[in-house]
Amino acid sequence: AQSVTQLGSHVSVSEGALVLLRCNYSSSVPPYLFWYVQYPNQGLQLLLKYTSAATLVKGINGFEAEFKKSETSFHLTKPSAHMSDAAEYFCAVSERGYNKLIFGAGTRLAVHP
Amino acid sequence: GAVVSQHPSWVICKSGTSVKIECRSLDFQATTMFWYRQFPKQSLMLMATSNEGSKATYEQGVEKDKFLINHASLTLSTLTVTSAHPEDSSFYICSANKQGPGTDTQYFGPGTRLTVL
């Protein structure tokens, strides 16, 4: 069965600092991996996805993530945090050929001046 | 492209009444639509998967007679919470997959907040 673990339910960074949100997955087959962002009382917006092309994936708003099969990880990074990045971030996995998404518990990112 | 809307964005109802939530893909045809439930400060839990013209597939533990899903067309799915009770209060989010390229990606609606008094 597939599962997703997001280490750290809360992450706090200073404006301008590096953002690192961790995601590890468990899957018996090479998965598709996604990062979504959710602002308060809103739906989810796709940041980026990995579906078997380049292992380093660039997304919107300056975010990127690297798929590391050996570590079963798909960590999300951004070189310089902005106040507007404060939100809830969800990592999700799906099995290739199937659309069902399994979400991690989420990481709340706080950005302080 | 790939915009998904939900209506209403919020609803308050009395216990025992039924509430219908609509999910529409505005600029694409959706092969599949999904319904999620999210409790405060928690992750999304998949409730059911629906395909146009066929019965929805419910996740384990989700009462299909309580949460009725109708997928009438390639752009519209509805979730009806029947005989709602306070414990059904939650944030309900739908998503949809595109047909053709990009079918691996789910596009999410803005959510509907249901409060049952």
Side-chain angles (χ1 to χ4, degrees):
Chain A
Q2 293 180 312
S3 66
V4 177
T5 302
Q6 289 184 241
L7 293 175
S9 58
H10 290 81
V11 171
S12 181
V13 300
S14 299
E15 190 174 20
L18 171 71
V19 175
L20 171 60
L21 305 183
R22 300 178 186 274
C23 173
N24 288 88
Y25 68 91
S26 169
S27 177
S28 58
V29 297
Y32 289 168
L33 292 157
F34 304 81
W35 275 101
Y36 286 90
V37 61
Q38 184 181 33
Y39 297 98
N41 296 311
Q42 294 186 27
L44 274 66
Q45 180 182 12
L46 179 68
L47 279 176
L48 49 78
K49 64 180 180 182
Y50 166 77
T51 57
S52 82
T55 56
L56 181 61
V57 181
K58 294 187 183 298
I60 63 171
N61 302 339
F63 285 94
E64 63 181 38
E66 186 172 8
F67 171 67
K68 292 187 176 181
K69 184 178 179 181
S70 61
E71 298 177 7
T72 60
S73 69
F74 191 57
H75 301 332
L76 181 71
T77 61
K78 181 173 180 177
S80 177
H82 193 272
M83 297 296 287
S84 61
D85 294 326
E88 187 87 20
Y89 291 80
F90 292 97
C91 181
V93 62
S94 72
E95 195 171 309
R96 289 161 187 254
Y98 296 91
N99 297 326
K100 181 176 173 179
L101 281 176
I102 305 298
F103 283 89
T107 297
R108 183 168 298 276
L109 175 66
V111 182
H112 51 86
Chain B
V3 179
V4 177
S5 70
Q6 281 184 243
H7 178 80
S9 55
W10 59 269
V11 56
I12 301 173
C13 69
K14 292 183 178 180
S15 187
T17 61
S18 295
V19 174
K20 180 184 283 188
I21 302 170
E22 290 187 350
C23 176
R24 293 181 184 273
S25 55
L26 298 184
D27 53 0
F28 67 98
Q29 292 188 322
T31 53
T32 307
M33 288 185 165
F34 304 83
W35 287 96
Y36 295 85
R37 186 173 181 177
Q38 185 179 32
F39 289 106
K41 299 184 179 181
Q42 293 189 28
S43 188
L44 281 73
M45 298 299 295
L46 179 64
M47 299 175 66
T49 303
S50 73
N51 292 287
E52 182 260 345
S54 60
K55 289 184 178 180
T57 301
Y58 290 82
E59 294 299 300
Q60 192 172 11
V62 178
E63 299 176 59
K64 61 181 181 181
D65 294 330
K66 177 146 186 80
F67 298 100
L68 300 179
I69 292 173
N70 182 270
H71 197 149
S73 73
L74 286 172
T75 60
L76 173 63
S77 176
T78 60
L79 168 67
T80 300
V81 183
T82 62
S83 186
H85 288 90
E87 57 266 29
D88 299 323
S89 298
S90 190
F91 195 51
Y92 292 87
I93 306 176
C94 73
S95 69
N97 281 95
K98 277 182 165 181
Q99 286 186 327
T103 57
D104 48 69
T105 302
Q106 289 185 28
Y107 298 92
F108 285 79
T112 297
R113 184 161 301 284
L114 170 64
T115 301
V116 185
L117 302 177

